Amino acid sequence: MRTTPPDPATTRRRWRRIASAATATAALLLTGLTTAAQAQTADTGTTKVTWTRSCALPRHHGEMACNALRVTGGRTAFQQQHGISAQAAEASSPSGYGPADLRNAYGLTSAAAGNGSGRTIAIVDAYDDPNAESDLAAYRSHYGLPACTTANGCFEKVGQTGSTTSLPSADSGWAGEISLDLDMASAICPNCHILLVEAKSSSMTNLGTAVNEAVSLGAKYVSNSYGGGESSSDASYDSAYFNHPGVAITVSAGDAGYGAEYPAASKYVTAVGGTRLTTSATTRGWTESVWRTSSTEGTGSGCSSYDTKPAWQTDTGCAKRMIADVSAVADPATGVSVYDTYGADGQGWATYGGTSASAPIIASVYALAGTPSTGSYPSAFPYANTSALNDVTSGSNGSCTTSYFCTARTGYDGPTGLGTPEGLGAFTG
């Protein structure tokens, strides 16, 4: 079998961009800001959508950033679909896709109504969101979802050691990420229990410890909406934090366009790419393409420089782990509604995008599909049933030497993997 190694030039360009952005972020931090303030834009056909990153970019080796993007202006696909003007959008009402939209787009309406009872989805993030439970209640109440509270046993928030009282310090940017994750789990699997595990910092060591804690507390579905640069430490991180047979672990592929990130590159996780999701006149009623806004904004993808290829991944252009496996909506211009009230960013309703939206969506699809078989690696499940996925065949997230690393095609490609959910068939095993 002939294989092509990762493109070194592309990798260098990618991390020069990230280093430059990190430098800019550090400058912002010195002035008291906690997130990257420069907004990005996307043209939805009428009014450009602008957004900003929720979390600061990584500044140190082993540090992770959340992959949540908060819309700050313009007219989203949801607003266009419902005839809502950009000027009318306020924090008092949703401006992005809600649960019914997402379930309809991914063939999950019936499953969401009947499945999930007794199953626990774990959300792993850094820092504390003091308003997590109350914001979750507001989201679920608005959309008519059953209450999920500490009191009724549906919701639990713990630190990375499992303590319900010893929690990390609060962070406004990560609070937005937490709200996004909790709301997507609720949208897809409203009958599931939700366990929020908050790491004390955004280091891979602390986030990995939180993953282990989530599994030890019984979660069979664990969502991780963060990422950072690959390194020679990744193999040790794999064995220490992500090797959990019988547990579906999902990870965001990244928001910086073409290029591999960790822990999406772990051979033990389901790497989740991002799409642009819009309504259409097709039988499905929806259409998707690769999410890309600019050379530095779009879903991540690529050939890992360090992680070995899992046996079930059979593309021949990458000798190591290829990102992604599957995908779901991530474009902020076609983004999802989130309710968040903590900190400067928390003004109530907002629209979010980024692969931080797609990772918890896919974790929740696994939860709807049922408990993974003992000893299995659920990242293999989609490869055994590709017909139960919507193949995404258009769009690109950048430039690459090996075309499918960055460009959609029929069958497997890097940006969207094998495709997006069409029911539960690709997520059982």
Side-chain angles (χ1 to χ4, degrees):
M1 182 189 310
R2 186 177 181 180
T3 58
T4 303
D7 182 351
T10 300
T11 302
R12 288 193 298 271
R13 288 195 299 271
R14 172 178 170 77
W15 292 110
R16 278 199 297 268
R17 293 199 306 267
I18 291 178
S20 177
T23 301
T25 301
L28 289 169
L29 289 168
L30 291 174
T31 65
L33 299 176
T34 59
T35 62
Q38 183 177 1
Q40 301 291 323
T41 64
D43 192 346
T44 61
T46 305
T47 305
K48 283 188 174 182
V49 171
T50 61
W51 64 85
T52 188
R53 292 184 176 274
S54 289
C55 304
L57 291 166
R59 293 173 294 162
H60 307 290
H61 171 71
E63 189 175 62
M64 303 289 115
C66 73
N67 285 309
L69 305 177
R70 179 175 56 86
V71 171
T72 56
R75 193 175 186 217
T76 66
F78 174 86
Q79 291 171 306
Q80 294 181 58
Q81 179 183 338
H82 293 277
I84 303 170
S85 67
Q87 292 75 19
E90 298 177 355
S92 59
S93 61
S95 54
Y97 292 138
D101 299 302
L102 297 172
R103 296 175 200 163
N104 181 267
Y106 295 127
L108 302 170
T109 302
S110 177
N115 297 7
S117 179
R119 301 168 191 170
T120 298
I121 301 169
I123 301 298
V124 173
D125 281 311
Y127 303 107
D128 179 40
D129 176 4
N131 297 355
E133 185 170 359
S134 59
D135 286 348
L136 176 64
Y139 178 90
R140 294 177 73 106
S141 175
H142 178 86
Y143 286 112
L145 308 180
C148 189
T149 66
T150 301
N152 70 11
C154 174
F155 176 75
E156 185 176 15
K157 180 172 77 170
V158 300
Q160 68 184 53
T161 62
S163 172
T164 59
T165 56
S166 180
L167 300 172
S169 60
D171 182 271
S172 178
W174 279 89
E177 170 66 64
I178 289 170
S179 290
L180 169 59
D181 292 342
L182 297 178
D183 291 354
M184 291 306 96
S186 299
I188 301 302
C189 192
N191 297 320
C192 285
H193 290 182
I194 301 176
L195 170 65
L196 172 60
V197 186
E198 298 179 330
K200 66 181 180 181
S201 79
S202 61
S203 73
M204 186 66 259
T205 300
N206 285 322
L207 286 162
T209 299
V211 171
N212 286 344
E213 184 62 28
V215 176
S216 73
L217 291 174
K220 296 295 184 181
Y221 323 93
V222 183
S223 176
N224 303 270
S225 293
Y226 54 83
E230 293 192 286
S231 76
S232 57
S233 302
D234 292 352
S236 62
Y237 292 150
D238 277 357
S239 59
Y241 306 127
F242 296 107
N243 186 7
H244 293 288
V247 179
I249 302 177
T250 64
V251 178
S252 300
D255 296 344
Y258 173 62
E261 286 192 5
Y262 190 84
S266 170
K267 62 183 179 180
Y268 298 121
V269 310
T270 300
V272 186
T275 67
R276 175 181 175 85
L277 174 71
T278 56
T279 55
S280 72
T282 61
T283 301
R284 179 188 172 196
W286 300 84
T287 187
E288 289 177 276
S289 58
V290 175
W291 165 45
R292 184 197 187 196
T293 303
S294 70
S295 60
T296 58
E297 289 286 344
T299 183
S301 73
C303 183
S304 174
S305 297
Y306 297 97
D307 263 82
T308 58
K309 200 173 196 69
W312 54 84
Q313 197 173 57
T314 59
D315 64 293
T316 58
C318 172
K320 293 187 179 294
R321 171 67 157 116
M322 187 69 194
I323 301 169
D325 297 308
V326 292
S327 52
V329 61
D331 188 342
T334 68
V336 298
S337 283
V338 172
Y339 193 83
D340 170 43
T341 62
Y342 180 72
D345 298 339
Q347 301 300 311
W349 288 105
T351 297
Y352 275 78
T355 52
S356 278
S358 54
I361 287 174
I362 296 300
S364 303
V365 177
Y366 275 113
L368 289 177
T371 305
S373 54
T374 301
S376 67
Y377 287 98
S379 50
F381 297 171
Y383 291 85
N385 196 356
T386 58
S387 62
L389 294 161
N390 301 302
D391 192 7
V392 181
T393 59
S394 64
S396 171
N397 65 347
S399 300
C400 55
T401 302
T402 305
S403 178
Y404 78 90
F405 285 14
C406 64
T407 303
R409 63 177 184 176
T410 299
Y412 181 84
D413 57 72
T416 66
L418 296 165
T420 63
E422 182 52 52
L424 304 179
F427 300 90
T428 59

